[in-house]
């Protein structure tokens, strides 16, 4: 069964102890989350509902977004999660999200990558999300065969601003894929648009695991 929860926990890396944080505003699972300049943001996921999503009645995807501001704690009277504008691109779950620096948005911007939409279809869509307004601006989609599906994306933002994504595609068989989103070569006709480029695949297929950029600039994949 799918388990929904409001609980939020923080790991103190100095003491290696888990600490309770303020609860989410609603129970959810399979959401995307990341740290942004003003706190921690949670986007989409599955929540309690009535429509069902084909495999679990009473569960449905959501476009809701909420944020816990920096400095919030589990202490009495601590700041709670704040509900932000919903995603204009619609309900989605199982996505990966990467914070984007710059811009003048009050709450910051993130890149929302892949996931599954309201029709339970895996999507290779990528959106730049303004957290203050919820407006999702379409970016170049992940590289995927027109008849295939992209899923299980893990992603991170390199120190030079490029985005690396590792996951899998399905077209008759499962195939691993590693891609980088980068600006086009200087002087090209599409110089304003970032695009994805395929990289050599990892020695093993990775889908649905975690990924992050290490302090020395290397990209690590877990699971």
């Amino acid at each position: 069964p799918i388990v929904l929860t409001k609980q939020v926990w923080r790991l103190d890396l100095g003491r290696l102890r888990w600490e309770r944080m303020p609860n989410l505003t609603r129970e959810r699972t399979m959401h995307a989350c990341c740290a942004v300049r003003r706190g921690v943001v949670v986007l989409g996921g599955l929540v309690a509902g009535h429509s069902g999503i084909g495999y679990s009645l009473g569960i449905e995807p959501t476009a809701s977004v909420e944020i816990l501001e920096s400095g919030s704690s589990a202490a009495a009277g601590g700041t709670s999660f704040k509900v932000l504008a919903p995603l204009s691109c619609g309900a989605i779950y199982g996505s990966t999200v990467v914070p984007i620096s710059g811009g003048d948005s009050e709450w910051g911007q993130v890149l929302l990558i892949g996931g599954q939409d309201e029709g339970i279809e895996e999507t290779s869509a990528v959106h730049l999300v303004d957290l203050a307004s919820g407006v999702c601006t379409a970016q170049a989609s992940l590289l995927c065969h027109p008849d295939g599906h992209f899923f299980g994306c893990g992603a991170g933002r390199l120190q030079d601003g490029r985005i690396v994504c590792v996951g899998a595609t399905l077209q008759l068989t499962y195939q691993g894929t590693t891609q980088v989103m980068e600006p086009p070569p200087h002087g090209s006709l599409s110089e304003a648009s970032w695009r994805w480029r395929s990289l050599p695949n990892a020695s093993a297929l990775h889908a649905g695991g975690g990924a992050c950029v290490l302090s020395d600039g290397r990209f690590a994949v877990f699971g």
Side-chain angles (χ1 to χ4, degrees):
I2 295 177
V3 178
L4 306 177
T5 182
K6 288 184 176 181
Q7 290 189 10
V8 178
W9 292 82
R10 174 178 61 191
L11 177 61
D12 184 322
L13 295 177
R15 298 184 299 164
L16 294 181
R17 293 181 180 178
W18 288 98
E19 302 172 345
R20 278 297 303 273
M21 298 290 288
N23 284 342
L24 297 168
T25 62
R26 64 190 308 183
E27 295 181 332
R28 66 177 79 211
T29 188
M30 295 186 70
H31 46 275
C33 64
C34 71
V36 292
R37 65 171 181 258
R38 291 190 59 179
V40 177
V41 66
V42 177
L43 306 94
L46 299 176
V47 298
H50 302 290
S51 64
I53 59 171
Y55 60 86
S56 181
L57 295 178
I59 301 295
E60 63 183 12
T62 180
S64 63
V65 179
E66 50 186 298
I67 191 170
L68 182 66
E69 293 188 73
S70 299
S72 302
S73 69
T79 305
S80 301
F81 271 88
K82 172 184 176 68
V83 175
L84 299 181
L87 300 169
S88 67
C89 52
I92 195 164
Y93 62 101
S95 300
T96 297
V97 65
V98 177
I100 300 297
S101 60
D104 55 3
S105 172
E106 178 185 0
W107 294 101
Q109 296 177 312
V110 298
L111 203 64
L112 189 65
I113 305 172
Q116 291 179 276
D117 57 24
E118 295 175 276
I120 328 176
E121 292 291 332
E122 289 89 359
T123 177
S124 59
V126 179
H127 290 92
L128 180 65
V129 181
D130 182 319
L131 296 176
S133 64
V135 172
C136 302
T137 304
Q139 307 295 301
S141 295
L142 292 161
L143 301 176
C144 184
H145 190 279
D147 297 325
H149 300 282
F150 190 102
F151 64 96
C153 174
R157 185 172 182 268
L158 302 180
Q159 295 173 350
D160 62 6
R162 293 180 298 165
I163 307 296
V164 175
C165 178
V166 60
T169 59
L170 173 60
Q171 187 198 5
L172 300 180
T173 60
Y174 292 100
Q175 299 289 333
T177 180
T178 304
Q179 306 177 22
V180 59
M181 188 183 192
E182 59 189 2
H186 179 71
S188 68
L189 296 177
S190 58
E191 191 169 342
S193 300
W194 284 47
R195 57 192 181 188
W196 293 95
R197 175 172 62 88
S198 293
L199 299 177
N201 288 331
S203 57
L205 188 151
H206 297 278
C212 70
V213 177
L214 304 179
S215 59
D216 61 5
R218 290 181 296 170
F219 180 71
V221 180
F222 306 87

